[in-house]
Amino acid sequence: MPHPQSNQHTCLSESSTCHPHDPIPHEPISISRHPSISAIEPSLDSVFSKSSEYTSGSEYGSPGTPATDPQLDEAVDSAFVLPPTTPPKRRGSTVLISQSSEDVRRIMPPEKGAETTELGRVCCGGGCCFLKTLQEDPVTKSGSPVVIPGNDAFRSLCIRLGPLSLDSELTNVVDLPAETVSFEKQFTESPVQSKVQKHPPEFVTPHPPYEVYSAKVHHARELTKPGAEKRTYHYDLDVTDYPAESGNVDFVVGGAVGVQAPNSDDLVDEIFDILNVPRYARDKQVLMKTSTGRWPTIWGDDKPRELVTTRREILTWCSDVQSYPPTKPLLRVLAEYATAPNEKKILLYLSSAQGQAAFCDLRTGPHITIAQLLNAFPSSHPPLPHLLSVLTTLMPRFYSLSQDPQSSCTREGTGTNCRRLIEIAVTVHETPNWRGGPRTGVASGFLERLAMKVQEAEKEGINATDLNLRVPMFRGLMANPLAREFVTDGPMLLIGAGVGVAPFRGFVQRRLKSANCANKVWVLQGVRDSLVDELYSGEWGVEEDKVKKVVQSRRGEGRYVQEEVRHQADLVWFIINALDGRVFVCGSSKGMGEGVESALIDVAMDKGNLRREEAEEFWAKKKDGGQYIAETW
């Protein structure tokens, strides 16, 4: 029977999951549940508490919209909480195991340590945090107690000092890190004009031998509507003049771009102010020397470097001052330069064996920025070179393309010239900062500021292209799993939640070029509320009700996308066993990613009559064979 979209192809045999007049995923099909963990020990029930809010997403380190929000472990949702027969209108999606090392200590068996995977995520289970716990000493307690710094930044750290006093003996304090960075005066007759506000210095080269490309923002708009829990923006970036590379390398469907985002100007200036770096010195050229490592470059040999730069360039483009939890070397440097005895003692305590539990709490709690630490310990003013020596390199963030890049261009005026555009979607990850305001991710915050400038200009009748806004980016990860395993033949099931669905829009656009029943594609899109945060609604280039099923967790039947996978067991089983059939999953690994994987295992157990071990092996082989592709962060 011919497919409605094409008279040139023959349809597959009709079945319950492939019918030319019914290409929409079927309504829920009954399937027996196989929870990955059948029960929890009753002794732990009093420790667990359910969260009433859903949080997900990650900015960092993935070809999705990476994101780094502090969040509860959502992965335990599918393992511990079985959905009721009639889902409530709104329900929690997480099970909170612990909020501190003390909670873990109560959960852990006295000697054996953590015995489940879930506890292992929170603590290694060995009890190392408590091996050298500081014991209360009546003598030192009455002698010189540690005065808690009286500022909001310190209080926001929630450090538990226990019986710490100025006379407490601390052991195994980490050694003071070496100062591997130095600045020397640079004498030049004609200083080079810095592009610090728009583009990174040339030595920041994450795509050698090619430098970071300055892509002009052609347009930007918000995809989500007021009331959405997270804001997501769409960007059209002009890459018409992107330099050619050897090997016919090009932007591909499912590929990603790396965005080399800077630290915000306000945050950089705040750090300069706290460290007492004079304003005249911040933008003055200096000769920077390093004694080891590849920093401030991203790739290259581990060897000393000499670079002409400015302090502002280095702090803006080369050191991550807000994405990583504090390390003991960093705390040790702050302790070295703290002049207040109480602050020095606290910092040394966090760097010692006795303060290991408090240090673990600090690292696993809400995100902490360098500026927050410096405000918390105001007597510590480390020299900028020594501070740079212990900071982490500022790395690019990767975003999947949200369209088919081979068919995207825009005409210039009434002419025939075509400007080539690529499209990405970016979710802004926002958490409270210690001052009570919002804190955004490095890249998502940078891109949102650009989008807001575009929106403000459009209100005044100014085109975005006239603003000359730029995004430092490079063509990266074109061979990531989404791009590598995409094929033009065979049925596909695309499972995504949140911004994870963005790359699938390009998949659907490409499949329209060879539409037939054998090449059918289905999309399961998880959203909280389709009225406010369904991405790209009406922009898939196809009749969406024929290929896409939107699953809402906050409205209607209140279902998560992993639950819909179980309800679509027949469809899943048909596609994964079809010739060239593929199942793609994209989204947050915590909650959604792990939940979908658990649901797929349940489907294999039910439809294939397999034991759990056999079902896990089944999907592992499908993953090795390129039929099951999961890109999560």
Side-chain angles (χ1 to χ4, degrees):
M1 183 180 294
H3 187 270
Q5 296 182 12
S6 175
N7 296 323
Q8 302 176 357
H9 300 276
T10 302
C11 183
L12 290 175
S13 299
E14 295 181 10
S15 70
S16 62
T17 54
C18 183
H19 194 285
H21 297 305
D22 185 21
I24 311 172
H26 290 226
E27 287 305 307
I29 298 173
S30 176
I31 178 172
S32 56
R33 295 297 306 275
H34 302 274
S36 47
I37 297 181
S38 58
I40 308 175
E41 294 182 7
S43 61
L44 300 183
D45 290 346
S46 61
V47 181
F48 295 156
S49 62
K50 295 181 181 179
S51 168
S52 61
E53 299 293 332
Y54 173 90
T55 56
S56 69
S58 176
E59 173 192 316
Y60 188 74
S62 166
T65 299
T68 52
D69 287 4
Q71 57 185 2
L72 305 177
D73 191 352
E74 299 165 6
V76 297
D77 176 38
S78 59
F80 289 166
V81 182
L82 299 182
T85 304
T86 304
K89 186 174 182 181
R90 184 181 181 92
R91 60 191 176 92
S93 65
T94 63
V95 175
L96 175 60
I97 293 182
S98 73
Q99 289 182 307
S100 68
S101 57
E102 289 187 4
D103 292 343
V104 177
R105 193 177 190 180
R106 291 196 300 270
I107 296 171
M108 289 192 308
E111 297 179 357
K112 296 181 180 179
E115 295 182 349
T116 70
T117 302
E118 282 66 34
L119 294 185
R121 295 178 184 278
V122 182
C123 177
C124 65
C128 57
C129 296
F130 310 102
L131 289 179
K132 296 186 178 181
T133 303
L134 196 64
Q135 300 298 321
E136 186 170 344
D137 185 346
V139 177
T140 57
K141 182 178 180 181
S142 61
S144 306
V146 170
V147 178
I148 304 299
N151 59 73
D152 292 337
F154 182 85
R155 284 187 285 269
S156 69
L157 299 178
C158 300
I159 300 175
R160 304 188 185 191
L161 298 178
L164 180 67
S165 72
L166 295 178
D167 302 318
S168 297
E169 182 179 356
L170 303 177
T171 60
N172 296 106
V173 177
V174 299
D175 295 334
L176 180 66
E179 187 172 342
T180 60
V181 180
S182 64
F183 293 130
E184 297 181 5
K185 290 184 179 180
Q186 176 68 13
F187 299 98
T188 57
E189 296 181 359
S190 55
V192 179
Q193 182 66 33
S194 173
K195 301 177 182 178
V196 66
Q197 305 298 337
K198 285 186 175 292
H199 202 69
E202 294 181 357
F203 52 78
V204 177
T205 310
H207 190 37
Y210 304 97
E211 297 177 3
V212 178
Y213 177 74
S214 179
K216 190 173 184 178
V217 178
H218 184 83
H219 188 60
R221 58 191 171 91
E222 187 173 355
L223 294 174
T224 48
K225 297 178 177 61
E229 293 188 23
K230 292 184 178 181
R231 302 180 301 279
T232 300
Y233 294 87
H234 171 89
Y235 299 85
D236 297 310
L237 304 180
D238 191 333
V239 294
T240 306
D241 301 321
Y242 195 93
E245 299 179 29
S246 60
N248 196 27
V249 178
D250 200 357
F251 296 96
V252 297
V253 62
V257 297
V259 174
Q260 190 67 44
N263 293 311
S264 71
D265 295 340
D266 291 341
L267 185 56
V268 169
D269 277 326
E270 181 182 6
I271 294 175
F272 279 144
D273 291 341
I274 296 174
L275 298 181
N276 298 321
V277 178
R279 292 190 176 274
Y280 73 86
R282 300 175 185 181
D283 297 287
K284 190 174 183 179
Q285 284 191 335
V286 293
L287 177 64
M288 187 182 73
K289 295 183 178 181
T290 64
S291 59
T292 185
R294 64 168 58 99
W295 184 89
T297 60
I298 295 178
W299 308 119
D301 297 331
D302 185 344
K303 64 180 183 180
R305 284 169 167 74
E306 291 189 7
L307 300 167
V308 177
T309 181
T310 68
R311 293 174 175 85
R312 188 181 298 278
E313 277 187 341
I314 290 296
L315 201 54
T316 299
W317 296 102
C318 301
S319 293
D320 200 325
V321 296
Q322 73 170 56
S323 299
Y324 293 92
T327 63
K328 285 193 174 183
L330 170 62
L331 297 172
R332 181 65 183 84
V333 168
L334 296 182
E336 183 68 16
Y337 297 98
T339 56
N342 61 326
E343 295 180 18
K344 180 183 286 288
K345 192 69 176 185
I346 295 172
L347 289 165
L348 290 174
Y349 172 68
L350 294 171
S351 308
S352 70
Q354 287 73 22
Q356 182 65 32
F359 173 72
C360 289
D361 284 345
L362 198 64
R363 284 184 59 85
T364 56
H367 278 86
I368 298 173
T369 66
I370 301 302
Q372 182 178 357
L373 283 174
L374 292 172
N375 277 285
F377 301 97
S379 74
S380 179
H381 301 284
L384 181 60
H386 209 167
L387 182 62
L388 294 173
S389 301
V390 293
L391 293 182
T392 305
T393 304
L394 183 59
M395 300 297 288
R397 272 59 169 171
F398 293 96
Y399 299 96
S400 295
L401 301 180
S402 61
Q403 104 281 22
D404 181 358
Q406 294 187 8
S407 58
S408 178
C409 73
T410 183
R411 302 296 175 185
E412 290 184 325
T414 58
T416 58
N417 293 332
C418 179
R419 304 297 300 179
R420 188 178 188 188
L421 305 179
I422 59 170
E423 302 173 18
I424 60 174
V426 178
T427 292
V428 179
H429 299 286
E430 196 172 74
T431 56
N433 64 23
W434 65 273
R435 290 189 171 97
R439 185 195 72 86
T440 60
V442 176
S444 62
F446 163 69
L447 291 169
E448 183 180 38
R449 291 191 292 272
L450 295 181
M452 292 178 67
K453 290 180 180 179
V454 171
Q455 292 175 344
E456 292 172 0
E458 289 181 342
K459 291 179 181 178
E460 300 177 3
I462 303 174
N463 292 328
T465 53
D466 297 332
L467 300 177
N468 195 29
L469 300 175
R470 299 282 176 165
V471 173
M473 50 78 63
F474 59 93
R475 181 165 48 209
L477 294 185
M478 294 298 111
N480 69 63
L482 295 181
R484 185 179 63 248
E485 302 299 344
F486 173 82
V487 293
T488 56
D489 298 317
M492 290 196 312
L493 176 62
L494 311 175
I495 306 169
V499 79
V501 79
F504 295 155
R505 177 169 168 254
F507 282 26
V508 173
Q509 291 174 353
R510 176 61 63 87
R511 277 301 181 92
L512 290 179
K513 298 179 181 179
S514 57
N516 58 71
C517 191
N519 291 338
K520 287 174 65 178
V521 56
W522 290 267
V523 181
L524 296 182
Q525 180 180 4
V527 301
R528 294 182 176 89
D529 184 343
S530 63
L531 296 180
V532 296
D533 56 13
E534 180 183 348
L535 305 187
Y536 293 116
S537 178
E539 300 183 34
W540 291 74
V542 67
E543 295 181 52
E544 294 180 21
D545 58 345
K546 294 184 178 181
V547 301
K548 187 176 69 168
K549 177 68 177 290
V550 177
V551 185
Q552 303 180 85
S553 61
R554 295 291 189 265
R555 291 178 61 88
E557 54 197 0
R559 180 182 300 152
Y560 292 104
V561 71
Q562 54 262 40
E563 298 172 57
E564 185 65 22
V565 170
R566 292 185 175 92
H567 285 280
Q568 300 296 340
D570 282 349
L571 178 65
V572 175
W573 197 241
F574 160 73
I575 290 176
I576 199 60
N577 288 288
L579 182 64
D580 285 329
R582 279 168 166 73
V583 173
F584 289 84
V585 180
C586 188
S588 170
S589 62
K590 293 185 177 180
M592 179 270 177
E594 295 173 346
V596 168
E597 183 171 349
S598 177
L600 292 174
I601 291 173
D602 287 348
V603 169
M605 292 173 65
D606 183 79
K607 294 302 176 182
N609 195 25
L610 305 175
R611 297 191 304 271
R612 175 163 295 279
E613 296 77 11
E614 294 173 329
E616 292 173 350
E617 183 180 1
F618 171 84
W619 285 107
K621 289 182 178 179
K622 291 298 183 181
K623 183 175 291 187
D624 292 340
Q627 284 189 273
Y628 168 42
I629 304 95
E631 186 64 26
T632 58
W633 54 88

